[in-house]
Amino acid sequence: MPIRLLSDTVASQIAAGEVVERPASVIKEAVENSIDANARDIRVEIHGGGKERLLVTDDGSGVASAEVELAFHRHSTSKLASTEDLNRITTLGFRGEALASIAAVSRMTFITRAGDEPVGTLLRLEGGRIMARQEHGRAAGTTLIVEDLFFNVPARRKFLRSDETERRHIDAWLTRYSMAYPELRFTLNHAANTVFQSPGSGRLRDVMVAVYGLDVGAAALDVIPGRESENNIRVEGLVSPPSLHRANRSYITLFVNGRWIQDTRLTYAVVQAYHTLLPTGRYPLAVLMISLPPDHVDVNVHPTKSEVRFSDGDAVFRTVQQAVRRAVLQQAPVPPVRLGASAWPAWGHGDSADRRERFSRIGHDDNTPLPFGASQSSAVASNAVAPIAEDRLPPLRVIGQLKLTYIIAEGPDGLYLIDQHAAHERVLFERLLAERQSAKVASQALLEPLPVELAPEAAGRLVEYAEALTEFGFRVEPFGGTTVLLRAVPAIVAEENPVHVLDDVAAALGVGDQPLAANIEETVAREVCKRASVKAGRTMAREEMEQVIRALEQTSNPRTCPHGRPTMIHLSATELAHAFNR
Ligand code: ADP
Ligand code: MG
């Protein structure tokens, strides 16, 4: 073939391919633009894994109506003017490629209004060509709607994965940015369902709770910049105590100057900081913000900007490793020494008041495992007279059972109403995780292997997570098609219908309603314990109630069930006296 110039269309599709790989890349670029535009509230909505339609809307600065078309030219940006600027990049974007690239491979609607203009602009594009432009009323900010991604690049469209997989990539980006920018509020909707929302409180720990669940959020240790910082490198964030760990490195999340990065060497620095503290083959959780002068890091390595180059990589490595090591050694609580010890650290021994407060959520009726910010203050306020400072339960004396659902108990400071199911769930949950950690989960083989037919995605998930399931006493094998063969279940659910148990686990492992809430192990443990624990409506003998209470006293987080609901309500002696005008 003779040499010839590619047509603009082909050239722009090729260039677009570098930036836009899948729906999640569109989300990433749009969210970065929103952050660069100083938005406080960023909402994302996706349909069909983002392949059909996705929308990102913000309350940022918007684009002036005279500049809207310009924003869609390749290499048009408001963030960079000269080559020298490349050395002092403080925005997430700067290449001026994203809008042009996304528009080239989709049907796009861009609605924006600059704060200082009376009316906004709506621009509609198809395959990069402007189809319509009109004035449009809206609040200051920008909305980007992308439909039929890759409609004009069938080769690309073919390589998109299932809705679920695409959704997972989007979830991942959104949680990353919510952790990097705790002061912003991010909302993610799958169609009409809000599946994730970050609190926007400015506290990383609150975001951790929203992403990984209460237990991880509460246990995480603060990494504080320390003396090891050289060359103005700062490292801060949250890391897991040695008692919390995962089967792979994917829970180590790193940001450099507010940008999520992939860096095997720095990931290794984090892992190394736990040297000798973790069982082999186990990895910590970490969310670390690394900041350094912009001219010490080159972010212009790749169009997606998730790889960076440091001018002094060794210094960054040392700073990360030492900061994490210090956090872990200084703050990690001494593992509790007691029989049947749980896998969780015990608090409340010379701990900061702040940490203790985190658990004093007794008596408020918020059912959702939301960040502590809001609930904490209400708990503190309502217990102002008789604060329950300790995380541990005081010794409780069982008085009786109420409505076959609640255990009534008396403590040194008043009356406790304990939800029998939630309390038992908490007890079993900590026990099961501890057993898994020491590889001692009892398994009960079924008399005959049981073929279980599942939804296609569910079957795939169970096979994918077979290793984790085995650690909890399940034995599941592929059995052709969407059927799996169930050979054994955790002994604590031996009395339950094994199909129901497996169904629950498969459903919870899906990206359904809480894709981001927690990790695989906790999800499996939670579902098993939900089935195994005593149901509401069951008569409990006094000894049984006493057993549950004694066991609950031993848990490290007695006041919430594994799903984050309260296990108990407390009516203090002071409150009682007050109510009776004594
Ligand atoms: P870059 O982010 O690298 O500058 P983009 O193609 O992503 O390039 O965006 C081009 C320009 O469009 C940006 O520089 C910015 O001025 C404007 N822009 C894009 N999205 C937004 C937004 N959500 N709010 C305000 N301005 C935006
Ligand atoms: Mg951009």
Side-chain angles (χ1 to χ4, degrees):
M1 269 207 315
I3 297 178
R4 61 188 151 204
L5 273 178
L6 290 174
S7 75
D8 277 355
T9 316
V10 178
S12 70
Q13 283 183 2
I14 292 175
E18 300 229 342
V19 182
V20 189
E21 189 195 345
R22 54 178 4 135
S25 346
V26 178
I27 301 284
K28 166 189 179 284
E29 295 295 337
V31 166
E32 288 187 352
N33 281 345
S34 299
I35 295 171
D36 284 345
N38 294 318
R40 311 286 312 166
D41 192 351
I42 300 173
R43 290 160 195 270
V44 173
E45 185 185 304
I46 61 169
H47 299 260
K51 291 182 279 187
E52 275 170 39
R53 177 184 158 90
L54 61 83
L55 178 152
V56 178
T57 192
D58 69 45
D59 58 353
S61 60
V63 180
S65 84
E67 295 180 353
V68 176
E69 278 87 353
L70 189 58
F72 283 86
H73 281 263
R74 192 165 301 281
H75 311 305
S76 68
T77 177
S78 55
K79 303 168 192 174
L80 185 79
S82 66
T83 318
E84 292 79 70
D85 287 351
L86 271 177
N87 292 325
R88 36 176 188 256
I89 287 167
T90 53
T91 49
L92 292 167
F94 57 87
R95 296 172 62 108
E97 289 181 318
L99 288 187
S101 299
I102 299 164
V105 294
S106 70
R107 297 185 227 274
M108 191 204 274
T109 309
F110 190 78
I111 310 168
T112 188
R113 176 162 85 78
D116 54 359
E117 293 189 333
V119 65
T121 310
L122 181 151
L123 200 67
R124 211 185 294 281
L125 302 97
E126 259 187 52
R129 291 222 315 280
I130 295 175
M131 311 302 281
R133 178 201 221 268
Q134 63 203 59
E135 288 195 341
H136 193 93
R138 62 155 292 150
T142 302
T143 302
L144 176 102
I145 303 165
V146 168
E147 278 153 320
D148 304 328
L149 186 64
F150 297 134
F151 79 97
N152 53 352
V153 199
R156 262 298 163 99
R157 197 170 172 88
K158 216 170 55 200
F159 280 101
L160 292 181
R161 307 280 300 278
S162 68
D163 288 4
E164 187 173 330
T165 304
E166 296 301 338
R167 229 156 59 186
R168 253 189 256 217
H169 284 277
I170 293 170
D171 294 349
W173 273 111
L174 221 75
T175 48
R176 279 170 201 151
Y177 275 120
S178 68
M179 293 193 280
Y181 296 88
E183 65 282 12
L184 308 188
R185 179 189 271 272
F186 292 87
T187 309
L188 174 61
N189 274 21
H190 289 168
N193 298 325
T194 299
V195 296
F196 174 73
Q197 186 163 60
S198 71
S201 65
R203 280 190 301 269
L204 174 61
R205 193 180 291 278
D206 295 344
V207 186
M208 281 281 266
V209 171
V211 174
Y212 293 125
L214 277 177
D215 294 313
V216 170
L221 309 173
D222 286 300
V223 176
I224 301 154
R227 257 183 303 135
E228 70 280 348
S229 303
E230 5 173 352
N231 298 337
N232 292 319
I233 305 164
R234 270 171 67 92
V235 177
E236 58 194 312
L238 290 169
V239 295
S240 53
S243 52
L244 260 184
H245 37 72
R246 297 290 176 257
N248 58 55
R249 295 174 185 79
S250 63
Y251 295 84
I252 300 173
T253 310
L254 304 174
F255 300 94
V256 169
N257 292 349
R259 190 188 299 283
W260 178 73
I261 58 148
Q262 273 174 308
D263 189 309
T264 39
R265 196 147 171 264
L266 287 186
T267 304
Y268 179 65
V270 176
V271 174
Q272 233 207 5
Y274 286 81
H275 186 59
T276 73
L277 297 173
L278 296 183
T280 39
R282 306 290 298 174
Y283 301 90
L285 295 93
V287 180
L288 293 177
M289 315 291 162
I290 303 160
S291 35
L292 68 174
D295 59 337
H296 289 196
V297 51
D298 182 1
V299 292
N300 194 19
V301 180
H302 187 265
T304 61
K305 297 165 286 189
S306 0
E307 270 171 56
V308 296
R309 238 175 254 134
F310 299 104
S311 59
D312 188 352
D314 291 344
V316 181
F317 184 97
R318 276 193 303 274
T319 314
V320 168
Q321 199 242 345
Q322 287 165 15
V324 175
R325 181 84 182 166
R326 193 163 34 88
V328 173
L329 292 183
Q330 281 181 2
Q331 304 175 54
V334 180
V337 186
R338 54 189 149 81
L339 288 173
S342 81
W344 302 85
W347 308 120
H349 306 292
D351 262 333
S352 69
D354 149 64
R355 188 173 280 172
R356 269 184 258 122
E357 264 175 20
R358 245 179 264 137
F359 287 101
S360 60
R361 299 202 325 143
I362 203 163
H364 79 89
D365 57 8
D366 184 355
N367 272 344
T368 44
L370 273 173
F372 281 99
S375 48
Q376 182 174 302
S377 49
S378 65
V380 170
S382 67
N383 291 327
V385 192
I388 301 168
E390 286 300 315
D391 321 316
R392 300 265 154 194
L393 285 188
L396 300 178
R397 185 176 70 84
V398 172
I399 299 173
Q401 195 186 16
L402 175 72
K403 294 198 74 110
L404 301 183
T405 303
Y406 308 104
I407 301 169
I408 310 171
E410 180 190 6
D413 183 35
L415 176 79
Y416 289 76
L417 270 182
I418 295 144
D419 182 314
Q420 64 193 41
H421 173 70
H424 196 211
E425 238 180 332
R426 164 56 65 187
V427 168
L428 294 181
F429 179 70
E430 293 198 9
R431 198 176 286 161
L432 189 62
L433 284 176
E435 286 172 357
R436 193 209 61 89
Q437 192 139 5
S438 44
K440 290 208 183 92
V441 179
S443 176
Q444 170 74 56
L446 302 183
L447 287 176
E448 298 208 6
L450 184 66
V452 182
E453 170 135 17
L454 294 153
E457 290 182 337
R461 274 196 300 268
L462 288 185
V463 174
E464 184 182 339
Y465 299 133
E467 189 198 344
L469 291 169
T470 309
E471 293 177 347
F472 282 105
F474 286 99
R475 256 196 301 145
V476 181
E477 293 164 12
F479 195 58
T482 63
T483 307
V484 296
L485 197 63
L486 182 59
R487 292 186 174 277
V489 293
I492 56 168
V493 284
E495 305 287 304
E496 304 294 314
N497 180 334
V499 177
H500 292 168
V501 178
L502 198 66
D503 269 347
D504 281 359
V505 171
L509 284 174
V511 233
D513 282 328
Q514 289 209 310
L516 316 145
N519 59 85
I520 295 154
E521 286 147 25
E522 283 180 21
T523 305
V524 175
R526 249 196 309 266
E527 293 309 307
V528 168
C529 295
K530 187 177 81 189
R531 282 279 167 188
S533 52
V534 55
K535 309 283 178 297
R538 218 201 78 191
T539 313
M540 288 181 81
R542 180 172 292 271
E543 301 77 61
E544 282 183 300
M545 293 191 278
E546 272 163 4
Q547 269 176 20
V548 169
I549 301 291
R550 292 294 88 81
L552 189 65
E553 288 167 7
Q554 294 298 309
T555 63
S556 57
N557 197 351
R559 299 183 202 279
T560 55
C561 83
H563 298 88
R565 285 188 296 277
T567 52
M568 62 181 71
I569 294 178
H570 174 216
L571 208 53
S572 73
T574 325
E575 282 168 312
L576 282 172
H578 189 71
F580 286 108
N581 293 333
R582 276 173 162 274

